Amino acid sequence: KTYILAERVIRARRHGVEYADMLCLTFTNRASRAMRDRISERTNNPVPPDLFVGNVHRFCSNYLFDQKKVPQNSAVIDDLDAESIIAFLAHLDPNEDHSRYTNDIVNLQHALSQQQAGMERQLIVHADMLGEQDARRVEMARLYAEYKETDTLLDFEDLLEKAYLYARQDPERRRYRWIQVDEVQDLSFLQLAIIDLFATEDATIVYLGDEQQAIFSFVGA
């Protein structure tokens, strides 16, 4: 499959599509590295700098920082960072595993944020969190959001949420006329909506995936 994905890039270029008009998205960094290696091997050259090959989160991060949609000193935190922050805010025992609780807080914070931003319900990745809410957890979600804002931090879900909200109001956003998306079974409706925002009206878009390998339904895929 990786060979075919790389070959599509080569053939599109031969047929006049500029690398800058191409967008190659995957779900994981590992898959994007494999595609980049294959393209480089196939062309006997490094991957052109104007050809984007990467996952959706990295694409959103590039958009937010390149277009100055977020403060340039913002830092992107991973799941472990988020867990540590929430454990600190909630005064949890650092010697115990609180990952399930902290994940719930992160998910709730984003579900509330996306609801308040007026996002369509199907795009809210953890819309199930918006049912009967525990006041303590809602408060923790608020504290987590405030902590990130004060320290100019962005978690992975912030990258998607902010990219979507800014891009849909940005008529000058870069659009691509040739897009291919790998491992589509692992993408959420929000990620797919982001891809649509960056496609031209007549774009060629190919989605590749295998529903038998879908393992990320718990995050909305």
Side-chain angles (χ1 to χ4, degrees), residues 100-163:
R100 184 170 181 178
Y101 173 77
T102 55
N103 284 337
D104 282 350
I105 299 302
V106 172
N107 295 342
L108 176 60
Q109 186 261 305
H110 285 288
L112 291 170
S113 174
Q114 292 164 15
Q115 182 186 55
Q116 292 166 3
M119 286 174 53
E120 301 90 326
R121 188 173 179 84
Q122 74 164 359
L123 300 185
I124 300 177
V125 176
H126 299 284
D128 57 302
M129 305 289 291
L130 298 174
E132 186 174 345
Q133 297 168 12
D134 176 271
R136 173 59 178 164
R137 293 194 175 206
V138 171
E139 174 63 9
M140 286 307 307
R142 184 187 68 78
L143 291 174
Y144 174 58
E146 288 183 352
Y147 187 98
K148 287 188 296 177
E149 183 175 2
T150 300
D151 283 37
T152 57
L153 303 175
L154 301 169
D155 61 28
F156 292 151
E157 291 303 314
D158 283 319
L159 296 176
L160 301 179
E161 178 183 326
K162 291 182 182 298

Side-chain angles (χ1 to χ4, degrees), residues 9 17 30 58 60 82 105 127 143 151 159 166 170 208 210 215 218:
V9 172
V17 182
R30 182 169 60 97
R58 179 169 163 248
C60 289
I105 299 302
L143 291 174
D151 283 37
L159 296 176
Y166 282 121
D170 178 12
L208 299 98
D210 180 0
I215 58 174
F218 67 94

Side-chain angles (χ1 to χ4, degrees), residues 2-196:
T2 304
Y3 173 83
I4 292 172
L5 290 168
E7 189 66 19
R8 292 190 75 253
V9 172
I10 303 304
R11 294 195 183 195
R13 182 67 191 92
R14 284 179 181 170
H15 283 80
V17 182
E18 298 294 336
Y19 285 129
D21 287 329
M22 299 183 194
L23 184 58
C24 300
L25 297 171
T26 63
F27 182 72
T28 64
N29 286 322
R30 182 169 60 97
S32 66
R33 284 194 297 270
M35 193 187 303
R36 293 181 69 86
D37 289 345
R38 183 74 70 165
I39 293 171
S40 179
E41 175 185 309
R42 182 70 178 76
T43 60
N44 293 316
N45 285 297
V47 174
D50 50 352
L51 170 62
F52 183 90
V53 181
N55 62 34
V56 181
H57 288 88
R58 179 169 163 248
F59 175 76
C60 289
S61 177
N62 285 2
Y63 167 71
L64 291 171
F65 283 98
D66 290 349
Q67 301 303 312
K68 297 179 172 56
K69 302 297 184 181
V70 295
Q72 293 300 295
N73 64 336
S74 298
V76 178
I77 61 174
D78 61 20
D79 294 340
L80 289 177
D81 293 325
E83 181 178 339
S84 176
I85 291 168
I86 295 170
F88 166 74
L89 295 172
H91 307 291
L92 302 177
D93 187 341
N95 297 315
E96 296 181 7
D97 180 11
H98 303 286
S99 57
R100 184 170 181 178
Y101 173 77
T102 55
N103 284 337
D104 282 350
I105 299 302
V106 172
N107 295 342
L108 176 60
Q109 186 261 305
H110 285 288
L112 291 170
S113 174
Q114 292 164 15
Q115 182 186 55
Q116 292 166 3
M119 286 174 53
E120 301 90 326
R121 188 173 179 84
Q122 74 164 359
L123 300 185
I124 300 177
V125 176
H126 299 284
D128 57 302
M129 305 289 291
L130 298 174
E132 186 174 345
Q133 297 168 12
D134 176 271
R136 173 59 178 164
R137 293 194 175 206
V138 171
E139 174 63 9
M140 286 307 307
R142 184 187 68 78
L143 291 174
Y144 174 58
E146 288 183 352
Y147 187 98
K148 287 188 296 177
E149 183 175 2
T150 300
D151 283 37
T152 57
L153 303 175
L154 301 169
D155 61 28
F156 292 151
E157 291 303 314
D158 283 319
L159 296 176
L160 301 179
E161 178 183 326
K162 291 182 182 298
Y164 175 77
L165 293 174
Y166 282 121
R168 71 177 183 177
Q169 299 178 28
D170 178 12
E172 303 301 320
R173 65 185 179 277
R174 178 80 169 84
R175 300 196 188 209
Y176 300 83
R177 68 185 185 94
W178 191 97
I179 301 173
Q180 64 180 15
V181 185
D182 191 18
E183 304 295 354
V184 69
Q185 76 277 354
D186 292 328
L187 302 187
S188 66
F189 283 115
L190 176 56
Q191 289 171 301
L192 294 173
I194 291 169
I195 294 168
D196 286 344

